[in-house]
Amino acid sequence: MKIDGCGSHARMTRAMASRTHVQRVRILYKTILRLHRGLPAEVRPLGDGYVRDEFRRHKGCVESEAIIFLHEWTNYAITLAEQLGLRGPHTGKPLGRYLKEEDLEKLRDEQVCQLYELMIAAMGKVDGDEKKRT
């Protein structure tokens, strides 16, 4: 599935509507992993691992959680495609974005801990000390 920024959300929504739930999840998962190929080499394993863990963790979730899960990961895929500049390097943007305070307040304690651990891993720190690179 091609994601290219402008109007991509509508195209992705139409393409996904005719699929079964399992097909939609699989397409989204593979799309995200394909997009990760454009990430810097030092963060790609972290991103791939996080995506795998999250999709595995939500494999048996209830329908209401599945809807939110798919919506958020679809938005992630679209944002990442825009940031990577898949229409050419001139369209790329800086990777990542800041979370709004109201979004942080919606997170459960478990999610806040998970976000913190991800931040530590992305910064390359262990127990407050920087990893030594050899």
Side-chain angles (χ1 to χ4, degrees), residues 76-113:
Y76 169 77
I78 291 166
T79 300
L80 186 57
E82 291 169 350
Q83 290 176 348
L84 291 172
L86 295 182
R87 291 185 135 195
H90 63 285
T91 64
K93 301 175 185 174
L95 293 176
R97 69 177 173 97
Y98 291 99
L99 289 174
K100 297 175 192 163
E101 191 171 332
E102 59 265 18
D103 291 337
L104 284 173
E105 290 172 1
K106 293 177 187 175
L107 298 176
R108 297 185 309 262
D109 288 343
E110 171 189 322
Q111 292 171 314
V112 172
C113 290

Side-chain angles (χ1 to χ4, degrees), residues 12 15 33 45 52-53 58 60 63 70 73 83-84 89 91 93-94 104 108 110 118 134:
M12 186 176 234
L33 291 179
R52 283 187 189 101
D53 289 345
H58 287 83
E63 185 178 353
L70 289 174
W73 280 103
Q83 290 176 348
L84 291 172
T91 64
K93 301 175 185 174
L104 284 173
R108 297 185 309 262
E110 171 189 322
L118 184 61
T134 53

Side-chain angles (χ1 to χ4, degrees), residues 57-72:
R57 187 176 296 123
H58 287 83
K59 196 172 186 174
C61 67
V62 296
E63 185 178 353
S64 60
E65 288 179 347
I67 291 168
I68 295 167
F69 180 83
L70 289 174
H71 176 76
E72 292 301 323

